[in-house]
Amino acid sequence: MKQTANARLFIMIGALYFSQGIPLGVAMEALPTLLRRDGAPLHALAWLPLVGLPWVLKFLWAPVVDNRYRPALGRRRSWILPMQGIVLACLAAVAVTGVSAASAPCVVALMALASLASATQDIATDGLTAERFEGQALARANAVQVGGTMIGFFAGGPGCLVLAGWLGQGGALALLAAVVAFSLLMASGWRETALPAAVRRATLAGFARRPGGWALALAAFLSAMTAVAGYGLSKLFLVDAGWAVEAVGRLGMAGGAVTVLLGCGGGAWLVGRIGARGALALGLAASGAAALAWLAQAQGWAPQPTAAAYAAQALGAFGAGAASVAMMTLAMRFAARGAQAGTDMTAVQSARDLGEILTSSLITGVAARMGYVTGFSGGLLAAAVTLVFVAVALRRPG
């Protein structure tokens, strides 16, 4: 019976992470394409990336999610249920309203609200995962976290566009809403049992005072820099090298598949075999090798550009996935040992997201001023610095 309950909890966690990625995918990938096709001006679309801002700032209200809840519902269900309900309502409203230039302000506002709700729900879902899983099961849960959110993003972005061609915009959004409804149904049917060490007052200061907290946050920031440095430039580099947009898209889809299957799945397996820190180091080394492979192409050393591009993409995709799973496993172990799992986990995640955003902007500016060789060299340097930092600062076995 316990094994069945754990399996059901694992499926519910996967469904929650999957559904959390959908609003961002819709807002960042599907809406710009659909609205531009309908004649929306570019200056209006420029605001869409701000929809992802709650995911960076969610650490600010994470203590509230840890501290306030209804005991009758449970500490985590008190937030998961209403936030999932808001996401479902927003997607349903967009499906009914329709995506057009005329409805753009309303649609963007609805997706901004859905993003805020899904980011808030992520705090509770991360806390739930940290509190209910341990050992190798925690590593698998983190693989589901990274891979599930990414698949949800792809489903809400490119997947929504493909579905819109088959079912129309309303049908595509209704299908995505049905996925969210399924995860809401699972969470509604789950009964959360109280844990013995309930937190009285979660604070960001509590995270800052915990030994190892700042080291984890900085490691997450640096590992995100390492992963993004190659990814952020590769598409621009290939376009400037004469690749067709559809060819770059195929390369990106191949990289996404490698990230989910080999990076996340393989990362969870590696955590069980060589520990979370060993898996993190291997992922960082693969990201560094990817930066070196892109550097070789930028220098003109690679004799077969297409093969070299796919090899570099595969290395970077595996490295990003494996490092993310390992990093989040370390973060969840850290969070589970304290009394404010949602706040502690969110602080590390926000540091990672900040690293991704800053690096995406910075590395493009560096390449614009100094060339792609310098940009990819920066990715290689970031990998080396992060490997040294992880070896020195994260010494505790795991």
Side-chain angles (χ1 to χ4, degrees):
M1 181 68 72
K2 183 178 180 180
Q3 186 174 4
T4 302
N6 288 339
R8 187 179 184 281
L9 179 60
F10 197 87
I11 294 171
M12 184 188 79
I13 292 289
L16 289 173
Y17 280 125
F18 180 89
S19 64
Q20 285 170 196
I22 289 176
L24 270 184
V26 172
M28 305 287 281
E29 297 280 338
L31 284 187
T33 303
L34 294 172
L35 289 172
R36 184 59 178 167
R37 185 190 65 180
D38 198 58
L42 289 177
H43 66 80
L45 303 182
W47 294 96
L48 280 173
L50 294 180
V51 169
L53 200 58
W55 287 83
V56 179
L57 300 178
K58 62 183 179 177
F59 71 94
L60 295 174
W61 59 89
V64 177
V65 176
D66 267 337
N67 291 331
R68 298 185 179 277
Y69 59 94
R70 290 182 176 274
L73 280 178
R75 185 180 180 190
R76 302 308 177 189
R77 286 176 78 246
S78 293
W79 288 94
I80 289 172
L81 295 181
M83 294 303 106
Q84 278 286 88
I86 291 173
V87 173
L88 177 59
C90 289
L91 286 173
V94 173
V96 172
T97 302
V99 179
S100 65
S103 66
C106 177
V107 169
V108 172
L110 285 168
M111 294 318 302
L113 178 59
S115 176
L116 175 62
S118 60
T120 303
Q121 179 192 311
D122 186 61
I123 300 169
T125 307
D126 284 342
L128 172 64
T129 304
E131 292 162 351
R132 304 286 166 166
F133 294 97
E134 59 184 11
Q136 185 60 17
L138 183 61
R140 289 194 293 269
N142 278 285
V144 169
Q145 177 205 22
V146 177
T149 305
M150 178 176 291
I151 294 172
F153 181 89
F154 278 115
C160 181
L161 294 175
V162 172
L163 288 171
W166 296 342
L167 308 173
Q169 292 180 17
L173 290 164
L175 188 57
L176 292 175
V179 174
V180 177
F182 172 76
S183 62
L184 176 58
L185 185 63
M186 290 203 70
S188 299
W190 176 62
R191 292 294 173 262
E192 183 177 357
T193 56
L195 294 173
V199 66
R200 289 292 182 184
R201 183 73 181 170
T203 62
L204 289 173
F207 169 81
R209 287 194 298 265
R210 285 191 63 190
W214 282 107
L216 270 177
L218 186 53
F221 180 87
L222 291 173
S223 64
M225 287 185 65
T226 301
V228 170
Y231 266 131
L233 281 185
S234 61
K235 294 182 178 65
L236 300 178
F237 168 71
L238 291 175
V239 169
D240 286 349
W243 279 46
V245 173
E246 57 269 21
V248 176
R250 287 194 295 269
L251 183 71
M253 292 298 291
V258 171
T259 300
V260 173
L261 297 176
L262 297 183
C264 297
W269 180 81
L270 285 169
V271 168
R273 299 285 293 186
I274 61 176
R277 284 158 185 78
L280 176 59
L282 187 58
L284 292 171
S287 294
L292 181 60
W294 288 117
L295 174 61
Q297 293 176 76
Q299 285 279 26
W301 299 335
Q304 295 178 317
T306 301
Y310 272 89
Q313 185 78 353
L315 279 169
F318 167 77
S324 292
V325 169
M327 190 69 245
M328 292 302 101
T329 299
L330 290 172
M332 280 198 177
R333 287 176 182 173
F334 173 82
R337 291 194 296 267
Q340 50 177 44
T343 299
D344 291 344
M345 185 66 190
T346 300
V348 178
Q349 276 193 330
S350 292
R352 182 190 64 176
D353 294 341
L354 181 62
E356 290 180 352
I357 291 174
L358 288 180
T359 305
S360 295
S361 299
L362 179 63
I363 204 72
T364 303
V366 169
R369 287 181 174 271
M370 304 181 195
Y372 286 112
V373 170
T374 304
F376 290 130
S377 297
L380 186 59
L381 177 62
V385 169
T386 309
L387 276 168
V388 172
F389 180 82
V390 167
V392 173
L394 304 183
R395 293 176 177 175
R396 187 186 178 102

